[in-house]
Amino acid sequence: MAATCSILPKGQLLYRNAVKLQVARRFSDKGWFQSMFVHEVEARKDAHSNLLSKSETSDLYKIQFHNVKPECLEAYNNLESEVQRKLHLDQDYPCDVVGSWNTWYGDQDQAVHLWRYTGGYPALTECLTKLNNNKEYLHFRKERSKMLVSRRNQLLLEFSFWNEPTPRNGPNIYEMRSYKLKPGTMIEWGNHWARAIKHRQENDEAVGGFFSQIGDLYEVHHLWAYKDLQSREETRNSAWQKEGWDSSVYYTVPLIRSMESRIMIPTKSSPLQ
């Protein structure tokens, strides 16, 4: 009989087999009956936005990815900082910036902004209407456009089981891990991460978790904070020593179509430092 071959690189194959072995051992220790319920997925009786978000009236988030001309990055950061400060001080706009960063590892000369609209879609509509009638803001957009190579955005909701993103002191580096999921798997992803997140909160590294509503769909963004790259490595490695983390990874990996990691540095005006 011809030998079977794997399309996975040797390293990935060894990793997957090791995780399978660990999970199998755990299930054998606990018994076959209990293991039947590890992969439980709640029946879907509503839109996943209602099942996974904090509430039907939860805040709406917008994430912006701006690719900036290299020679314009400093001027761009200064201009964005000025506009964000004015919007923070103006109580007529029901929005605030949660965090602003420049990508350190990932797409270079990239700015990432996370906005929160208090009150959901009505707040977003109110802000857009007011900004489109604000001559100062329209001038800002015109000046900003001269500095950009490209830009894209998404509207997001936050997962109910993640912490609310709140301002924090620095210095920190931030990692945004973005996952494109297979269509139809968002509920299953949420079920597994609702259990897995407890393994990643001891060092206060969990900042926020979001899933897309408009823009690229079935995309998840997890935002983490670390003191530096070394503490990131140590924190992530320590998760593997906790019972249950390996099985959470094992069951979520098949749901992913692709994933991306950005290491980001906060801008001077970012509430998340």
Side-chain angles (χ1 to χ4, degrees), residues 20-63:
K20 284 183 178 179
L21 180 60
Q22 291 179 25
V23 175
R25 285 174 176 169
R26 179 167 298 125
F27 290 170
S28 64
D29 291 340
K30 295 183 177 180
W32 67 270
F33 182 78
Q34 187 175 355
S35 71
M36 291 173 62
F37 298 95
V38 173
H39 200 212
E40 179 182 359
V41 179
E42 297 176 5
R44 182 168 180 176
K45 298 179 181 179
D46 201 350
H48 67 244
S49 59
N50 293 335
L51 294 173
L52 293 172
S53 61
K54 294 187 184 298
S55 71
E56 293 183 3
T57 57
S58 62
D59 294 337
L60 182 68
Y61 291 81
K62 179 174 71 175
I63 191 167

mmCIF file of all heavy atoms in Angstrom, residues 20-63:
data_model
loop_
_atom_site.group_PDB
_atom_site.id
_atom_site.type_symbol
_atom_site.label_atom_id
_atom_site.label_comp_id
_atom_site.label_asym_id
_atom_site.label_seq_id
_atom_site.Cartn_x
_atom_site.Cartn_y
_atom_site.Cartn_z
ATOM 1 N N LYS A 20 -3.038 17.210 19.219
ATOM 2 C CA LYS A 20 -4.013 16.119 19.192
ATOM 3 C C LYS A 20 -3.746 15.115 20.302
ATOM 4 O O LYS A 20 -4.663 14.632 20.957
ATOM 5 C CB LYS A 20 -3.959 15.412 17.828
ATOM 6 C CG LYS A 20 -4.616 16.169 16.691
ATOM 7 C CD LYS A 20 -4.563 15.345 15.415
ATOM 8 C CE LYS A 20 -5.269 16.056 14.273
ATOM 9 N NZ LYS A 20 -5.204 15.271 13.023
ATOM 10 N N LEU A 21 -2.459 14.803 20.519
ATOM 11 C CA LEU A 21 -2.097 13.832 21.531
ATOM 12 C C LEU A 21 -2.448 14.335 22.918
ATOM 13 O O LEU A 21 -2.986 13.593 23.745
ATOM 14 C CB LEU A 21 -0.597 13.527 21.444
ATOM 15 C CG LEU A 21 -0.057 12.493 22.459
ATOM 16 C CD1 LEU A 21 -0.772 11.160 22.270
ATOM 17 C CD2 LEU A 21 1.447 12.327 22.268
ATOM 18 N N GLN A 22 -2.169 15.625 23.186
ATOM 19 C CA GLN A 22 -2.493 16.191 24.496
ATOM 20 C C GLN A 22 -3.990 16.165 24.749
ATOM 21 O O GLN A 22 -4.447 15.824 25.832
ATOM 22 C CB GLN A 22 -1.963 17.615 24.599
ATOM 23 C CG GLN A 22 -0.448 17.716 24.643
ATOM 24 C CD GLN A 22 -0.004 19.169 24.719
ATOM 25 O OE1 GLN A 22 -0.739 20.020 25.176
ATOM 26 N NE2 GLN A 22 1.220 19.426 24.276
ATOM 27 N N VAL A 23 -4.773 16.551 23.736
ATOM 28 C CA VAL A 23 -6.228 16.574 23.892
ATOM 29 C C VAL A 23 -6.762 15.167 24.080
ATOM 30 O O VAL A 23 -7.644 14.909 24.905
ATOM 31 C CB VAL A 23 -6.886 17.251 22.673
ATOM 32 C CG1 VAL A 23 -8.399 17.169 22.779
ATOM 33 C CG2 VAL A 23 -6.440 18.710 22.574
ATOM 34 N N ALA A 24 -6.233 14.214 23.301
ATOM 35 C CA ALA A 24 -6.692 12.830 23.407
ATOM 36 C C ALA A 24 -6.415 12.263 24.790
ATOM 37 O O ALA A 24 -7.246 11.567 25.375
ATOM 38 C CB ALA A 24 -6.001 11.981 22.340
ATOM 39 N N ARG A 25 -5.244 12.578 25.338
ATOM 40 C CA ARG A 25 -4.918 12.104 26.672
ATOM 41 C C ARG A 25 -5.859 12.674 27.718
ATOM 42 O O ARG A 25 -6.293 11.977 28.635
ATOM 43 C CB ARG A 25 -3.473 12.479 27.016
ATOM 44 C CG ARG A 25 -2.435 11.603 26.301
ATOM 45 C CD ARG A 25 -1.043 12.118 26.577
ATOM 46 N NE ARG A 25 -0.039 11.235 25.989
ATOM 47 C CZ ARG A 25 1.255 11.548 25.896
ATOM 48 N NH1 ARG A 25 1.681 12.716 26.350
ATOM 49 N NH2 ARG A 25 2.109 10.691 25.359
ATOM 50 N N ARG A 26 -6.177 13.955 27.569
ATOM 51 C CA ARG A 26 -7.075 14.572 28.538
ATOM 52 C C ARG A 26 -8.444 13.936 28.482
ATOM 53 O O ARG A 26 -9.085 13.671 29.487
ATOM 54 C CB ARG A 26 -7.165 16.087 28.295
ATOM 55 C CG ARG A 26 -8.111 16.777 29.274
ATOM 56 C CD ARG A 26 -7.960 18.274 29.238
ATOM 57 N NE ARG A 26 -6.618 18.622 29.647
ATOM 58 C CZ ARG A 26 -5.812 19.353 28.911
ATOM 59 N NH1 ARG A 26 -6.224 19.813 27.766
ATOM 60 N NH2 ARG A 26 -4.600 19.640 29.336
ATOM 61 N N PHE A 27 -8.948 13.689 27.269
ATOM 62 C CA PHE A 27 -10.267 13.085 27.134
ATOM 63 C C PHE A 27 -10.274 11.673 27.701
ATOM 64 O O PHE A 27 -11.229 11.245 28.336
ATOM 65 C CB PHE A 27 -10.691 13.060 25.667
ATOM 66 C CG PHE A 27 -11.001 14.425 25.112
ATOM 67 C CD1 PHE A 27 -11.195 14.613 23.756
ATOM 68 C CD2 PHE A 27 -11.092 15.530 25.951
ATOM 69 C CE1 PHE A 27 -11.478 15.862 23.253
ATOM 70 C CE2 PHE A 27 -11.365 16.789 25.457
ATOM 71 C CZ PHE A 27 -11.563 16.948 24.103
ATOM 72 N N SER A 28 -9.200 10.924 27.475
ATOM 73 C CA SER A 28 -9.137 9.558 27.976
ATOM 74 C C SER A 28 -9.111 9.549 29.500
ATOM 75 O O SER A 28 -9.645 8.652 30.138
ATOM 76 C CB SER A 28 -7.906 8.843 27.417
ATOM 77 O OG SER A 28 -6.723 9.460 27.867
ATOM 78 N N ASP A 29 -8.488 10.562 30.103
ATOM 79 C CA ASP A 29 -8.438 10.657 31.556
ATOM 80 C C ASP A 29 -9.816 10.964 32.138
ATOM 81 O O ASP A 29 -10.179 10.468 33.198
ATOM 82 C CB ASP A 29 -7.449 11.742 31.997
ATOM 83 C CG ASP A 29 -6.007 11.344 31.696
ATOM 84 O OD1 ASP A 29 -5.754 10.141 31.510
ATOM 85 O OD2 ASP A 29 -5.155 12.263 31.650
ATOM 86 N N LYS A 30 -10.583 11.802 31.423
ATOM 87 C CA LYS A 30 -11.875 12.235 31.950
ATOM 88 C C LYS A 30 -13.008 11.292 31.539
ATOM 89 O O LYS A 30 -14.113 11.404 32.053
ATOM 90 C CB LYS A 30 -12.190 13.662 31.468
ATOM 91 C CG LYS A 30 -11.218 14.692 32.029
ATOM 92 C CD LYS A 30 -11.611 16.078 31.600
ATOM 93 C CE LYS A 30 -10.684 17.113 32.214
ATOM 94 N NZ LYS A 30 -11.028 18.481 31.820
ATOM 95 N N GLY A 31 -12.739 10.415 30.577
ATOM 96 C CA GLY A 31 -13.774 9.476 30.164
ATOM 97 C C GLY A 31 -14.441 9.905 28.884
ATOM 98 O O GLY A 31 -14.548 11.087 28.577
ATOM 99 N N TRP A 32 -14.928 8.875 28.144
ATOM 100 C CA TRP A 32 -15.495 9.174 26.817
ATOM 101 C C TRP A 32 -16.781 9.950 26.926
ATOM 102 O O TRP A 32 -17.107 10.779 26.090
ATOM 103 C CB TRP A 32 -15.731 7.869 26.056
ATOM 104 C CG TRP A 32 -16.808 7.004 26.670
ATOM 105 C CD1 TRP A 32 -16.670 6.048 27.618
ATOM 106 C CD2 TRP A 32 -18.211 7.080 26.370
ATOM 107 N NE1 TRP A 32 -17.883 5.512 27.947
ATOM 108 C CE2 TRP A 32 -18.854 6.113 27.190
ATOM 109 C CE3 TRP A 32 -18.979 7.845 25.516
ATOM 110 C CZ2 TRP A 32 -20.221 5.903 27.166
ATOM 111 C CZ3 TRP A 32 -20.347 7.644 25.476
ATOM 112 C CH2 TRP A 32 -20.961 6.678 26.298
ATOM 113 N N PHE A 33 -17.567 9.732 27.998
ATOM 114 C CA PHE A 33 -18.867 10.387 28.104
ATOM 115 C C PHE A 33 -18.709 11.893 28.242
ATOM 116 O O PHE A 33 -19.371 12.675 27.555
ATOM 117 C CB PHE A 33 -19.628 9.823 29.307
ATOM 118 C CG PHE A 33 -21.015 10.415 29.456
ATOM 119 C CD1 PHE A 33 -22.070 9.983 28.663
ATOM 120 C CD2 PHE A 33 -21.245 11.409 30.394
ATOM 121 C CE1 PHE A 33 -23.332 10.538 28.796
ATOM 122 C CE2 PHE A 33 -22.500 11.962 30.526
ATOM 123 C CZ PHE A 33 -23.554 11.528 29.737
ATOM 124 N N GLN A 34 -17.784 12.335 29.118
ATOM 125 C CA GLN A 34 -17.573 13.768 29.316
ATOM 126 C C GLN A 34 -16.995 14.421 28.085
ATOM 127 O O GLN A 34 -17.308 15.566 27.766
ATOM 128 C CB GLN A 34 -16.654 13.998 30.515
ATOM 129 C CG GLN A 34 -16.521 15.474 30.895
ATOM 130 C CD GLN A 34 -15.709 15.656 32.153
ATOM 131 O OE1 GLN A 34 -15.317 14.690 32.794
ATOM 132 N NE2 GLN A 34 -15.476 16.905 32.522
ATOM 133 N N SER A 35 -16.145 13.695 27.356
ATOM 134 C CA SER A 35 -15.505 14.291 26.182
ATOM 135 C C SER A 35 -16.488 14.603 25.079
ATOM 136 O O SER A 35 -16.213 15.415 24.202
ATOM 137 C CB SER A 35 -14.419 13.346 25.650
ATOM 138 O OG SER A 35 -14.997 12.200 25.055
ATOM 139 N N MET A 36 -17.651 13.950 25.092
ATOM 140 C CA MET A 36 -18.653 14.203 24.060
ATOM 141 C C MET A 36 -19.143 15.643 24.091
ATOM 142 O O MET A 36 -19.611 16.174 23.084
ATOM 143 C CB MET A 36 -19.858 13.270 24.245
ATOM 144 C CG MET A 36 -19.564 11.810 23.951
ATOM 145 S SD MET A 36 -20.974 10.773 24.387
ATOM 146 C CE MET A 36 -22.221 11.437 23.267
ATOM 147 N N PHE A 37 -19.012 16.328 25.232
ATOM 148 C CA PHE A 37 -19.626 17.642 25.389
ATOM 149 C C PHE A 37 -18.622 18.781 25.288
ATOM 150 O O PHE A 37 -18.980 19.926 25.462
ATOM 151 C CB PHE A 37 -20.348 17.709 26.735
ATOM 152 C CG PHE A 37 -21.462 16.692 26.849
ATOM 153 C CD1 PHE A 37 -21.240 15.467 27.451
ATOM 154 C CD2 PHE A 37 -22.701 16.958 26.309
ATOM 155 C CE1 PHE A 37 -22.252 14.539 27.540
ATOM 156 C CE2 PHE A 37 -23.725 16.033 26.395
ATOM 157 C CZ PHE A 37 -23.510 14.810 27.001
ATOM 158 N N VAL A 38 -17.361 18.493 24.980
ATOM 159 C CA VAL A 38 -16.348 19.545 24.881
ATOM 160 C C VAL A 38 -16.592 20.418 23.667
ATOM 161 O O VAL A 38 -16.390 21.617 23.688
ATOM 162 C CB VAL A 38 -14.944 18.929 24.833
ATOM 163 C CG1 VAL A 38 -13.894 19.998 24.566
ATOM 164 C CG2 VAL A 38 -14.644 18.221 26.153
ATOM 165 N N HIS A 39 -17.070 19.833 22.600
ATOM 166 C CA HIS A 39 -17.240 20.555 21.333
ATOM 167 C C HIS A 39 -18.672 21.034 21.160
ATOM 168 O O HIS A 39 -19.203 21.094 20.058
ATOM 169 C CB HIS A 39 -16.845 19.617 20.186
ATOM 170 C CG HIS A 39 -16.521 20.364 18.925
ATOM 171 N ND1 HIS A 39 -16.742 19.869 17.677
ATOM 172 C CD2 HIS A 39 -16.009 21.592 18.721
ATOM 173 C CE1 HIS A 39 -16.365 20.721 16.752
ATOM 174 N NE2 HIS A 39 -15.928 21.790 17.372
ATOM 175 N N GLU A 40 -19.310 21.383 22.277
ATOM 176 C CA GLU A 40 -20.704 21.794 22.241
ATOM 177 C C GLU A 40 -20.847 23.179 21.611
ATOM 178 O O GLU A 40 -20.121 24.104 21.922
ATOM 179 C CB GLU A 40 -21.249 21.822 23.671
ATOM 180 C CG GLU A 40 -22.701 22.275 23.754
ATOM 181 C CD GLU A 40 -23.181 22.330 25.191
ATOM 182 O OE1 GLU A 40 -22.384 22.000 26.085
ATOM 183 O OE2 GLU A 40 -24.337 22.714 25.406
ATOM 184 N N VAL A 41 -21.815 23.331 20.708
ATOM 185 C CA VAL A 41 -22.115 24.604 20.068
ATOM 186 C C VAL A 41 -23.579 24.911 20.277
ATOM 187 O O VAL A 41 -24.441 24.068 20.027
ATOM 188 C CB VAL A 41 -21.808 24.557 18.553
ATOM 189 C CG1 VAL A 41 -22.150 25.881 17.906
ATOM 190 C CG2 VAL A 41 -20.347 24.205 18.329
ATOM 191 N N GLU A 42 -23.868 26.094 20.767
ATOM 192 C CA GLU A 42 -25.250 26.470 20.995
ATOM 193 C C GLU A 42 -26.008 26.563 19.678
ATOM 194 O O GLU A 42 -25.469 26.989 18.662
ATOM 195 C CB GLU A 42 -25.313 27.830 21.706
ATOM 196 C CG GLU A 42 -24.671 27.818 23.083
ATOM 197 C CD GLU A 42 -24.658 29.192 23.705
ATOM 198 O OE1 GLU A 42 -25.237 30.114 23.072
ATOM 199 O OE2 GLU A 42 -24.091 29.355 24.788
ATOM 200 N N ALA A 43 -27.274 26.155 19.724
ATOM 201 C CA ALA A 43 -28.108 26.251 18.526
ATOM 202 C C ALA A 43 -28.305 27.713 18.160
ATOM 203 O O ALA A 43 -28.480 28.571 19.027
ATOM 204 C CB ALA A 43 -29.450 25.585 18.778
ATOM 205 N N ARG A 44 -28.286 28.005 16.878
ATOM 206 C CA ARG A 44 -28.416 29.383 16.423
ATOM 207 C C ARG A 44 -29.885 29.720 16.230
ATOM 208 O O ARG A 44 -30.567 29.138 15.390
ATOM 209 C CB ARG A 44 -27.640 29.579 15.114
ATOM 210 C CG ARG A 44 -27.690 31.004 14.604
ATOM 211 C CD ARG A 44 -26.704 31.243 13.491
ATOM 212 N NE ARG A 44 -26.779 32.608 13.021
ATOM 213 C CZ ARG A 44 -25.971 33.118 12.095
ATOM 214 N NH1 ARG A 44 -25.032 32.358 11.582
ATOM 215 N NH2 ARG A 44 -26.099 34.370 11.720
ATOM 216 N N LYS A 45 -30.359 30.680 17.039
ATOM 217 C CA LYS A 45 -31.756 31.090 16.975
ATOM 218 C C LYS A 45 -31.892 32.584 16.736
ATOM 219 O O LYS A 45 -32.981 33.133 16.830
ATOM 220 C CB LYS A 45 -32.468 30.714 18.282
ATOM 221 C CG LYS A 45 -32.479 29.211 18.550
ATOM 222 C CD LYS A 45 -33.172 28.897 19.853
ATOM 223 C CE LYS A 45 -33.149 27.397 20.126
ATOM 224 N NZ LYS A 45 -33.800 27.063 21.419
ATOM 225 N N ASP A 46 -30.778 33.248 16.436
ATOM 226 C CA ASP A 46 -30.785 34.693 16.243
ATOM 227 C C ASP A 46 -29.539 35.061 15.459
ATOM 228 O O ASP A 46 -28.635 34.247 15.278
ATOM 229 C CB ASP A 46 -30.787 35.400 17.591
ATOM 230 C CG ASP A 46 -31.287 36.834 17.506
ATOM 231 O OD1 ASP A 46 -31.450 37.324 16.366
ATOM 232 O OD2 ASP A 46 -31.510 37.442 18.563
ATOM 233 N N ALA A 47 -29.478 36.315 14.971
ATOM 234 C CA ALA A 47 -28.275 36.795 14.306
ATOM 235 C C ALA A 47 -27.098 36.707 15.259
ATOM 236 O O ALA A 47 -27.238 36.960 16.462
ATOM 237 C CB ALA A 47 -28.469 38.239 13.844
ATOM 238 N N HIS A 48 -25.904 36.335 14.720
ATOM 239 C CA HIS A 48 -24.771 36.165 15.629
ATOM 240 C C HIS A 48 -24.386 37.470 16.314
ATOM 241 O O HIS A 48 -23.789 37.456 17.384
ATOM 242 C CB HIS A 48 -23.565 35.532 14.905
ATOM 243 C CG HIS A 48 -22.919 36.375 13.862
ATOM 244 N ND1 HIS A 48 -22.901 36.017 12.541
ATOM 245 C CD2 HIS A 48 -22.255 37.555 13.947
ATOM 246 C CE1 HIS A 48 -22.248 36.936 11.859
ATOM 247 N NE2 HIS A 48 -21.854 37.876 12.682
ATOM 248 N N SER A 49 -24.739 38.624 15.723
ATOM 249 C CA SER A 49 -24.436 39.897 16.379
ATOM 250 C C SER A 49 -25.177 40.030 17.697
ATOM 251 O O SER A 49 -24.655 40.568 18.676
ATOM 252 C CB SER A 49 -24.782 41.066 15.452
ATOM 253 O OG SER A 49 -26.151 41.030 15.093
ATOM 254 N N ASN A 50 -26.417 39.513 17.758
ATOM 255 C CA ASN A 50 -27.189 39.577 18.999
ATOM 256 C C ASN A 50 -26.741 38.529 20.008
ATOM 257 O O ASN A 50 -26.813 38.747 21.216
ATOM 258 C CB ASN A 50 -28.680 39.408 18.706
ATOM 259 C CG ASN A 50 -29.251 40.580 17.922
ATOM 260 O OD1 ASN A 50 -28.720 41.687 17.981
ATOM 261 N ND2 ASN A 50 -30.310 40.339 17.178
ATOM 262 N N LEU A 51 -26.291 37.373 19.515
ATOM 263 C CA LEU A 51 -25.887 36.301 20.403
ATOM 264 C C LEU A 51 -24.513 36.534 21.016
ATOM 265 O O LEU A 51 -24.242 36.079 22.122
ATOM 266 C CB LEU A 51 -25.885 34.963 19.641
ATOM 267 C CG LEU A 51 -27.251 34.463 19.169
ATOM 268 C CD1 LEU A 51 -27.084 33.239 18.281
ATOM 269 C CD2 LEU A 51 -28.153 34.128 20.357
ATOM 270 N N LEU A 52 -23.628 37.241 20.305
ATOM 271 C CA LEU A 52 -22.240 37.350 20.732
ATOM 272 C C LEU A 52 -21.884 38.689 21.357
ATOM 273 O O LEU A 52 -20.911 38.784 22.101
ATOM 274 C CB LEU A 52 -21.308 37.110 19.537
ATOM 275 C CG LEU A 52 -21.324 35.691 18.964
ATOM 276 C CD1 LEU A 52 -20.523 35.635 17.674
ATOM 277 C CD2 LEU A 52 -20.767 34.699 19.979
ATOM 278 N N SER A 53 -22.615 39.751 21.039
ATOM 279 C CA SER A 53 -22.258 41.074 21.545
ATOM 280 C C SER A 53 -22.812 41.275 22.948
ATOM 281 O O SER A 53 -23.616 40.480 23.441
ATOM 282 C CB SER A 53 -22.779 42.167 20.609
ATOM 283 O OG SER A 53 -24.194 42.113 20.513
ATOM 284 N N LYS A 54 -22.379 42.352 23.612
ATOM 285 C CA LYS A 54 -22.756 42.588 25.000
ATOM 286 C C LYS A 54 -24.257 42.782 25.159
ATOM 287 O O LYS A 54 -24.841 42.341 26.127
ATOM 288 C CB LYS A 54 -21.989 43.795 25.545
ATOM 289 C CG LYS A 54 -20.477 43.558 25.639
ATOM 290 C CD LYS A 54 -19.781 44.698 26.334
ATOM 291 C CE LYS A 54 -18.271 44.513 26.331
ATOM 292 N NZ LYS A 54 -17.838 43.310 27.042
ATOM 293 N N SER A 55 -24.898 43.450 24.224
ATOM 294 C CA SER A 55 -26.341 43.618 24.238
ATOM 295 C C SER A 55 -26.758 44.188 22.896
ATOM 296 O O SER A 55 -25.923 44.591 22.089
ATOM 297 C CB SER A 55 -26.789 44.550 25.370
ATOM 298 O OG SER A 55 -26.417 45.892 25.078
ATOM 299 N N GLU A 56 -28.049 44.203 22.658
ATOM 300 C CA GLU A 56 -28.535 44.739 21.388
ATOM 301 C C GLU A 56 -28.260 46.232 21.262
ATOM 302 O O GLU A 56 -28.278 46.777 20.163
ATOM 303 C CB GLU A 56 -30.042 44.471 21.252
ATOM 304 C CG GLU A 56 -30.384 42.988 21.107
ATOM 305 C CD GLU A 56 -31.861 42.757 20.905
ATOM 306 O OE1 GLU A 56 -32.594 43.766 20.825
ATOM 307 O OE2 GLU A 56 -32.278 41.591 20.832
ATOM 308 N N THR A 57 -28.016 46.911 22.377
ATOM 309 C CA THR A 57 -27.745 48.350 22.341
ATOM 310 C C THR A 57 -26.272 48.634 22.639
ATOM 311 O O THR A 57 -25.926 49.724 23.066
ATOM 312 C CB THR A 57 -28.629 49.084 23.377
ATOM 313 O OG1 THR A 57 -28.372 48.525 24.676
ATOM 314 C CG2 THR A 57 -30.092 48.924 23.041
ATOM 315 N N SER A 58 -25.408 47.649 22.440
ATOM 316 C CA SER A 58 -23.988 47.844 22.752
ATOM 317 C C SER A 58 -23.385 48.880 21.817
ATOM 318 O O SER A 58 -23.896 49.162 20.736
ATOM 319 C CB SER A 58 -23.225 46.525 22.638
ATOM 320 O OG SER A 58 -23.277 46.026 21.321
ATOM 321 N N ASP A 59 -22.256 49.422 22.250
ATOM 322 C CA ASP A 59 -21.580 50.431 21.444
ATOM 323 C C ASP A 59 -21.123 49.835 20.127
ATOM 324 O O ASP A 59 -20.838 48.643 20.012
ATOM 325 C CB ASP A 59 -20.379 50.979 22.203
ATOM 326 C CG ASP A 59 -20.786 51.754 23.446
ATOM 327 O OD1 ASP A 59 -21.929 52.241 23.493
ATOM 328 O OD2 ASP A 59 -19.954 51.873 24.365
ATOM 329 N N LEU A 60 -21.043 50.696 19.144
ATOM 330 C CA LEU A 60 -20.543 50.323 17.825
ATOM 331 C C LEU A 60 -19.109 50.818 17.710
ATOM 332 O O LEU A 60 -18.773 51.903 18.179
ATOM 333 C CB LEU A 60 -21.411 50.966 16.743
ATOM 334 C CG LEU A 60 -21.075 50.648 15.285
ATOM 335 C CD1 LEU A 60 -21.364 49.190 14.969
ATOM 336 C CD2 LEU A 60 -21.897 51.556 14.356
ATOM 337 N N TYR A 61 -18.245 50.023 17.093
ATOM 338 C CA TYR A 61 -16.844 50.377 16.910
ATOM 339 C C TYR A 61 -16.514 50.463 15.431
ATOM 340 O O TYR A 61 -17.109 49.754 14.608
ATOM 341 C CB TYR A 61 -15.925 49.343 17.576
ATOM 342 C CG TYR A 61 -15.982 49.359 19.080
ATOM 343 C CD1 TYR A 61 -17.011 48.722 19.768
ATOM 344 C CD2 TYR A 61 -15.008 50.022 19.826
ATOM 345 C CE1 TYR A 61 -17.070 48.737 21.154
ATOM 346 C CE2 TYR A 61 -15.060 50.039 21.210
ATOM 347 C CZ TYR A 61 -16.093 49.397 21.869
ATOM 348 O OH TYR A 61 -16.151 49.423 23.234
ATOM 349 N N LYS A 62 -15.580 51.340 15.122
ATOM 350 C CA LYS A 62 -15.047 51.436 13.757
ATOM 351 C C LYS A 62 -13.536 51.326 13.822
ATOM 352 O O LYS A 62 -12.892 51.983 14.646
ATOM 353 C CB LYS A 62 -15.434 52.768 13.096
ATOM 354 C CG LYS A 62 -14.861 52.919 11.674
ATOM 355 C CD LYS A 62 -15.368 54.181 10.991
ATOM 356 C CE LYS A 62 -14.790 55.431 11.589
ATOM 357 N NZ LYS A 62 -15.200 56.659 10.855
ATOM 358 N N ILE A 63 -12.978 50.478 12.979
ATOM 359 C CA ILE A 63 -11.530 50.380 12.882
ATOM 360 C C ILE A 63 -11.104 50.876 11.512
ATOM 361 O O ILE A 63 -11.741 50.573 10.496
ATOM 362 C CB ILE A 63 -11.037 48.939 13.142
ATOM 363 C CG1 ILE A 63 -9.522 48.921 13.311
ATOM 364 C CG2 ILE A 63 -11.499 47.967 12.057
ATOM 365 C CD1 ILE A 63 -8.987 47.624 13.866
#
